[in-house]
Amino acid sequence: VAAYTVIAMVVVAGSGQFFGQFLVVLGWNGAASTAAQVIFAIAIGGIALMLALRDVKVSMRAALTLEVISIVAITAVLVATLFKHGVTDSEQFKFHGVTLHGVVLGMVLALTGYVGFESAASLGQEADNPRKAVPRAIRINVITCGTYFIIGSYVYILGFDKMGTDITQSAAPLNDPWR
């Protein structure tokens, strides 16, 4: 429970920051301020709490809708990055400048991306054949999400490398690679 609480706080805070950076891209520079991003995070957290306390069907539809929108948007940025910069980036496989600190930071992000796949197990009793459906759902989820994460990471690093920009210096890494 504590882990999910901490992850929820990080996701809400990150959502406020990303939404603020999105508004900056649209032209509202005031959204880059810490105060604006805190307000966005509080609003996003309030909406999430309201949806969680309502009917499960409403919150599940909202979650699925937001997830689909997110995946479509991220995929669009990945495709635009590939069209702009090409597919090959041999520098990623040379491991120049790789540090233990960088790997640890990357692992935190990677593990956070995998959190939640086991929810199929807790919701499994609703399935027609849970002993078959739950392991299959978890397996498909891990393979699909893992593949998407690896490909997405490769393309984002490719985009930043081709731009000559350090990804750790970007305020909005999901916006920058296709610019």
Side-chain angles (χ1 to χ4, degrees):
V1 173
Y4 282 114
T5 302
V6 170
I7 289 170
M9 292 186 307
V10 169
V11 167
V12 167
S15 297
Q17 194 266 341
F18 280 121
F19 187 66
Q21 292 303 320
F22 173 71
L23 292 177
V24 168
V25 169
L26 295 180
W28 184 37
N29 291 330
S33 73
T34 303
Q37 291 177 7
V38 167
I39 291 169
F40 297 146
I42 291 170
I44 289 167
I47 292 168
L49 182 62
M50 180 190 69
L51 288 172
L53 295 175
R54 295 189 79 190
D55 185 23
V56 172
K57 288 182 181 180
V58 173
S59 60
M60 289 306 295
R61 282 190 190 124
L64 184 59
T65 301
L66 290 173
E67 196 64 38
V68 168
I69 291 169
S70 297
I71 290 171
V72 168
I74 291 169
T75 302
V77 172
L78 293 174
V79 170
T81 302
L82 289 173
F83 273 113
K84 182 169 183 168
H85 299 295
V87 177
T88 58
D89 183 18
S90 60
E91 289 298 313
Q92 288 193 50
F93 301 104
K94 293 182 181 174
F95 302 112
H96 293 301
V98 174
T99 64
L100 179 61
H101 178 71
V103 171
V104 169
L105 289 176
M107 289 302 297
V108 170
L109 180 60
L111 291 174
T112 303
Y114 273 108
V115 170
F117 74 87
E118 79 285 350
S119 63
S122 61
L123 298 173
Q125 66 189 19
E126 314 252 344
D128 290 334
N129 186 354
R131 292 192 186 273
K132 183 178 178 183
V134 169
R136 190 172 126 226
I138 291 174
R139 198 171 30 256
I140 290 170
N141 191 348
V142 169
I143 291 169
T144 304
C145 292
T147 302
Y148 188 79
F149 186 84
I150 290 168
I151 291 170
S153 297
Y154 172 82
V155 174
Y156 274 107
I157 298 301
L158 175 143
F160 275 93
D161 184 48
K162 299 291 183 180
M163 291 186 328
T165 305
D166 182 0
I167 193 170
T168 63
Q169 301 304 312
S170 172
L174 293 176
N175 297 335
D176 290 343
W178 61 276
R179 288 186 183 177

